[in-house]
Amino acid sequence: MITLENKREGNVREEQTENICRKPDVPYEELRYVHFPKPTSYSRRECSCTPVRFFVIVSMQRSGSGWVETLLNSHPNISSNGEIFNRVDRRENVSSILQTLDKLYDLDWFSSAAKNECTAAFGLKWMLNQGILENHDDIVRYLNKKGVSVLFLFRRNTLRRLISVLANDYDREAKQLNGTHKSHVHSKEEAEILAKFKPELDTSTLITNIRNIEKTIKDCLDHFKSTRHMILYYEDIVHNSNALSQALEFLRVPMRRLMSRQVKIHTRTLPDLVKNWEEVSMKLNGTEYAHFLDGSDYVK
């Protein structure tokens, strides 16, 4: 579902309405989301009149955001620059957050994803534990003033996410792949090695943890409801290879086939992924989270 902000915060910026590059077929209500950046570190040359849409992917660790970002970055006109706020100095206060965002959206940001001159959609990936919720009022104001679209990506099956988090935490210490830790892999052989570990879930805190995660997601969606935004779920993308076409439409870029080299790690059924599965199953059966157990929300 795509939601467009109805309230206009101030007038459309003068440079947007007067810019000679503005295409006449851009709907008036979307002018605030169309930009013609002038980076200081390079010239956009022949693409200087290619309008740029700013975006941010908001997600949680182990929710498929790395995979989805690689899919989007396979598009020739999309540059998503990763978790730039994984560095503490960039999020230590509101000022540092907004300064970092300004540099990014000026297109003076270099990463392996940058397409520079002919970029038509430019953004980042922002995890909920990287300062976005603690400073949500200021960030929402910034996003609306700057004309940034928000793409939310979450998992419906919180149980599977918890399993992935625990397995990733284990590998961070164990470094199962030749003494290195990898959150994402590009071969079935590597995926099989990581998938051998079966985490044991603490059933005494399991339901509380699930509820806390779901509350965090709900609070996030409430905080950012005034932005132009779209909500995607990992399971829907796994089910339907064309699900991201909505995201391309949302970003107003041409339709393209998207590809990723990432290989999914946990492909087996839930009982094969958890060390104490019977205990977990007994804990969730009869609760509002019993549907997490049947695996019907996920297709290999």
Side-chain angles (χ1 to χ4, degrees):
M1 175 180 179
I2 299 176
T3 303
L4 293 178
E5 167 60 34
N6 292 321
K7 298 180 180 179
R8 300 178 59 80
E9 293 187 9
N11 297 325
V12 177
R13 290 181 300 176
E14 186 174 308
E15 64 266 28
Q16 288 183 335
T17 56
E18 296 182 356
N19 195 305
I20 61 173
C21 291
R22 182 170 62 84
K23 293 188 176 182
D25 59 347
V26 176
Y28 179 78
E29 64 272 14
E30 289 195 23
L31 286 179
R32 62 187 298 185
Y33 304 108
V34 175
H35 309 275
F36 299 88
K38 297 179 179 179
T40 59
S41 53
Y42 66 92
S43 170
R44 297 188 72 207
R45 298 185 183 90
E46 68 273 12
C47 294
S48 61
C49 284
T50 299
V52 179
R53 309 266 179 164
F54 298 153
F55 69 90
V56 55
I57 301 169
V58 175
S59 188
M60 306 177 81
Q61 281 82 2
R62 315 313 296 175
S63 297
S65 62
W67 173 54
V68 168
E69 188 176 46
T70 61
L71 286 167
L72 292 177
N73 274 329
S74 71
H75 193 289
N77 303 120
I78 299 177
S79 293
S80 187
N81 295 270
E83 296 178 36
I84 67 174
F85 288 112
N86 59 358
R87 275 180 43 177
V88 177
D89 61 307
R90 294 173 180 164
R91 65 173 195 265
E92 57 186 358
N93 53 51
V94 173
S95 295
S96 61
I97 289 175
L98 300 187
Q99 288 172 6
T100 300
L101 290 173
D102 276 340
K103 182 178 181 181
L104 177 92
Y105 290 126
D106 284 342
L107 268 64
D108 282 315
W109 194 274
F110 298 98
S111 74
S112 59
K115 274 96 175 175
N116 296 334
E117 292 92 343
C118 290
T119 294
F122 199 85
L124 71 149
K125 186 172 65 165
W126 204 340
M127 301 293 102
L128 294 189
N129 64 347
Q130 294 174 350
I132 188 171
L133 292 182
E134 294 84 348
N135 302 282
H136 62 83
D137 285 334
D138 291 296
I139 293 171
V140 166
R141 279 193 291 270
Y142 177 93
L143 297 180
N144 284 332
K145 181 178 179 180
K146 194 77 171 180
V148 179
S149 299
V150 183
L151 200 162
F152 294 106
L153 175 66
F154 298 117
R155 290 186 80 148
R156 286 196 173 94
N157 193 324
T158 307
L159 177 62
R160 277 192 173 270
R161 179 185 172 272
L162 285 174
I163 294 169
S164 182
V165 168
L166 291 174
N168 188 61
D169 288 347
Y170 171 79
D171 185 68
R172 188 175 285 111
E173 299 295 328
K175 297 179 173 61
Q176 303 165 88
L177 298 174
N178 298 321
T180 62
H181 167 61
K182 291 187 178 181
S183 296
H184 308 102
V185 297
H186 299 98
S187 74
K188 291 183 178 180
E189 292 75 19
E190 289 179 324
E192 288 173 359
I193 292 173
L194 296 184
K196 288 179 180 179
F197 173 71
K198 294 183 178 184
E200 183 173 350
L201 276 63
D202 183 354
T203 55
S204 66
T205 61
L206 181 58
I207 292 179
T208 299
N209 286 339
I210 292 175
R211 285 176 178 161
N212 287 341
I213 292 169
E214 292 191 344
K215 183 181 184 303
T216 299
I217 293 173
K218 181 181 182 300
D219 289 345
C220 174
L221 295 176
D222 285 343
H223 293 324
F224 287 82
K225 63 185 178 182
S226 69
T227 63
R228 178 182 186 268
H229 64 269
M230 174 183 183
I231 305 173
L232 280 175
Y233 289 98
Y234 171 77
E235 290 85 356
D236 296 340
I237 301 171
V238 172
H239 272 297
N240 181 5
S241 60
N242 295 318
L244 281 180
S245 61
Q246 284 190 346
L248 299 185
E249 180 184 354
F250 178 68
L251 296 175
R252 303 294 191 260
V253 295
M255 291 295 164
R256 294 287 188 276
R257 181 183 179 188
L258 305 178
M259 302 179 67
S260 173
R261 293 179 54 241
Q262 284 193 17
V263 176
K264 184 169 176 59
I265 297 171
H266 298 110
T267 60
R268 298 196 297 268
T269 59
L270 280 169
D272 293 327
L273 298 179
V274 180
K275 185 176 181 180
N276 58 331
W277 174 251
E278 289 187 6
E279 187 180 355
V280 170
S281 181
M282 289 178 61
K283 187 70 176 181
L284 295 183
N285 264 320
T287 72
E288 67 267 41
Y289 304 116
H291 63 283
F292 287 165
L293 302 172
D294 59 22
S296 61
D297 63 330
Y298 175 76
V299 175
K300 181 176 177 180

